[in-house]
Amino acid sequence: MTKLLHIKIFILVILITLTKVDLNAQTVLSATEDVCSGETRLYKVEGFAGSTIFWSVQGGTIYNGGSAVADEDGIAAGIQYSEAIVSGESVIEIVWNVVAGDYVVNAYEETASACLSADMNLTVTVSSLPDHSLVVSDPTICPSGTATITLQNSVSGIDYQLRLDSDDSSVGSAVSGTGGNITFDVTPAVNTIYNVYAVNSTTTCGIELTDKSNVTVEDITDPIAVCQNITIQLDATGNVSIAANQIDNGSSDNCTSAASLTLSLDKTNFICADLGANTVVLTVADASANVSTCNATVTVEDLIAPVADAGTLAVITEQCEVTSLTAPTATDNCDGAVTGTHTQTFPITTSTTVVWTYTDGSGNSSTQNQTITIDDTTAPVADAGTLATITEQCEVTSLTAPTATDNCDGAVTGTHTQTFPITASTTVVWTYTDGSGNSSTQNQTITIDDTTAPVADA
């Protein structure tokens, strides 16, 4: 007959870790156990040496030594696997690759004399693993930048932990699912692969997502070079220089700040020969040695007026007139031809100020005054022979003005103060005055010499 043995039987559940799947291990001392779908666990029963342990399980698949065992149900109804005890224990693996639910593991012992133990039943509650098919983004960031990894369609009740894929170490804190997208911020220095481990916050069943995030750290984008045209003026020496920031008009880069961009020009110094429009190339380089260029027009102007040479505008003093003037010389910053012009009409017969205008090749001009002094101090001179002595017998009632010459060829007037008629010998003083008020005098003798005898009336 069947005899109930009083033997010590217990089931020990030990964790077997599948590759990249972390599952919680526990020793079952009660009649229930919680496992996660897909989890593999070891079950051990201790008995007498020489006894046989009979195993049966609902749902899970029994393994022994890493291989699925042959189902013995055809030999003994309800029995899936049996094992003779050699070392005092029987150990099997069960892979719970089943849908969520409650399942029963059963074991009993039969001695060599066919005595049977009571059944040991263990109820195993299998919980589903989180969805491991969710997708994470693969961002590209600039060196020293922050990458935002986006996990799409997170599930409420699931906690998501970002990890370094190289060693599965946690990066930051876990983020609870929201039913929508969630994000993780990382700052890798080099290209880095991350994985996400999803854990049910209630059952603690977890699994690594199949998709991984490949964060690329690089800057292969050229900066955006933006130029502006400028106008510059030559200085008094005919030179002018510019800096790159005068041409830059807001150049930018995806990774390097505007203040850290390197700006350079292919031409910075300009001289008189560069007057007009010049094409200048601005080169913009970012911190990763990416380069772009743009062209700007630099218009060079000469706004410096010429300067009259010292001493070339001396005062000109003439007695009568000036019929021509010699243009004074002037210097210019660009050493080009400088023309000197005036609007004075010739001849210049009175003292005046002549305004000279100096104009260079760029149309710049300056003015300077030149004083012309007309100072006639020479008196006119009576012409020889025109002041001969006049002899009359009775009287002189008029005199003809003698002629005179003047150094300035102007009109000369001859005047006297004599009263007519002149009835006695006298000396007439003639005064000659030119247009400048210069005067001279000369005497004319008037002789009244009556030598005719009177004649009696018939």
Side-chain angles (χ1 to χ4, degrees):
M1 66 180 217
T2 301
K3 181 180 179 181
L4 180 61
L5 296 179
H6 297 286
I7 61 174
K8 180 182 177 183
I9 302 178
F10 65 92
I11 300 177
L12 175 64
V13 181
I14 302 175
L15 167 68
I16 292 296
T17 303
L18 297 179
T19 304
K20 291 296 179 72
V21 178
D22 297 334
L23 300 174
N24 294 323
Q26 61 180 319
T27 298
V28 176
L29 301 176
S30 64
T32 62
E33 179 188 21
D34 293 326
V35 299
C36 301
S37 178
E39 184 177 355
T40 298
R41 292 205 179 181
L42 291 180
Y43 295 85
K44 180 173 65 175
V45 172
E46 294 182 353
F48 293 107
S51 295
T52 300
I53 303 298
F54 295 89
W55 296 90
S56 64
V57 59
Q58 296 177 353
T61 303
I62 300 175
Y63 280 72
N64 187 15
S67 300
V69 302
D71 190 345
E72 299 179 12
D73 187 61
I75 300 174
I79 302 302
Q80 293 176 280
Y81 175 70
S82 62
E83 182 180 24
I85 297 177
V86 176
S87 60
E89 64 181 24
S90 172
V91 180
I92 65 171
E93 297 173 282
I94 297 179
V95 179
W96 294 105
N97 195 16
V98 294
V99 298
D102 291 335
Y103 300 88
V104 176
V105 176
N106 176 268
Y108 66 90
E109 180 183 18
E110 181 180 3
T111 67
S113 59
C115 292
L116 300 177
S117 72
D119 289 345
M120 172 64 75
N121 291 318
L122 173 66
T123 300
V124 178
T125 299
V126 179
S127 298
S128 298
L129 293 173
D131 183 359
H132 62 87
S133 65
L134 302 184
V135 176
V136 290
S137 63
D138 298 315
T140 296
I141 61 170
C142 299
S144 302
T146 297
T148 297
I149 300 172
T150 301
L151 169 65
Q152 300 179 16
N153 303 317
S154 67
V155 179
S156 298
I158 304 298
D159 294 332
Y160 298 92
Q161 175 64 61
L162 186 70
R163 307 188 303 185
L164 283 174
D165 196 59
S166 58
D167 59 7
D168 289 337
S169 59
S170 296
V171 178
S173 302
V175 179
S176 298
T178 62
N181 295 348
I182 60 174
T183 59
F184 306 92
D185 289 336
V186 294
T187 56
V190 295
N191 295 349
T192 305
I193 299 175
Y194 297 88
N195 65 58
V196 177
Y197 188 71
V199 177
N200 188 302
S201 57
T202 301
T203 67
T204 69
C205 288
I207 190 171
E208 180 183 312
L209 303 187
T210 302
D211 194 25
K212 301 180 190 297
S213 176
N214 291 274
V215 177
T216 303
V217 181
E218 65 179 0
D219 178 16
I220 58 174
T221 302
D222 291 338
I224 299 173
V226 182
C227 286
Q228 63 180 346
N229 301 329
I230 64 171
T231 299
I232 56 177
Q233 291 77 40
L234 296 170
D235 62 17
T237 66
N239 296 275
V240 63
S241 298
I242 63 172
N245 59 2
Q246 293 176 258
I247 300 298
D248 180 50
N249 192 28
S251 299
S252 61
D253 185 66
N254 63 318
C255 291
T256 304
S257 67
S260 298
L261 292 173
T262 300
L263 308 177
S264 60
L265 298 174
D266 67 334
K267 182 177 177 66
T268 58
N269 298 318
F270 299 85
I271 59 176
C272 294
D274 298 313
L275 284 171
N278 301 266
T279 298
V280 174
V281 179
L282 171 67
T283 299
V284 181
D286 63 18
S288 298
N290 300 305
V291 173
S292 64
T293 62
C294 60
N295 293 344
T297 298
V298 176
T299 301
V300 179
E301 295 180 335
D302 173 22
L303 302 181
I304 304 296
V307 178
D309 295 332
T312 61
L313 286 181
V315 174
I316 295 177
T317 301
E318 294 289 344
Q319 287 207 26
C320 301
E321 65 181 6
V322 174
T323 58
S324 65
L325 292 172
T326 300
T329 59
T331 59
D332 186 61
N333 62 327
C334 282
D335 296 328
V338 177
T339 59
T341 60
H342 62 79
T343 58
Q344 187 65 44
T345 301
F346 292 106
I348 301 173
T349 58
T350 59
S351 295
T352 188
T353 298
V354 176
V355 180
W356 284 95
T357 299
Y358 310 100
T359 305
D360 64 15
S362 297
N364 303 304
S365 62
S366 63
T367 60
Q368 197 166 16
N369 297 335
Q370 184 176 29
T371 300
I372 306 298
T373 301
I374 302 299
D375 187 14
D376 180 11
T377 59
T378 302
V381 178
D383 293 334
T386 60
L387 287 181
T389 299
I390 296 176
T391 301
E392 293 289 342
Q393 288 199 24
C394 298
E395 63 182 4
V396 174
T397 58
S398 65
L399 291 172
T400 300
T403 61
T405 59
D406 188 63
N407 64 321
C408 288
D409 295 331
V412 177
T413 59
T415 62
H416 61 79
T417 59
Q418 188 65 46
T419 302
F420 290 104
I422 300 172
T423 59
S425 295
T426 188
T427 297
V428 176
V429 179
W430 286 95
T431 299
Y432 309 101
T433 303
D434 62 17
S436 298
N438 302 304
S439 63
S440 63
T441 62
Q442 200 167 17
N443 297 333
Q444 185 176 26
T445 301
I446 305 297
T447 300
I448 301 299
D449 185 14
D450 183 7
T451 59
T452 301
V455 177
D457 293 333

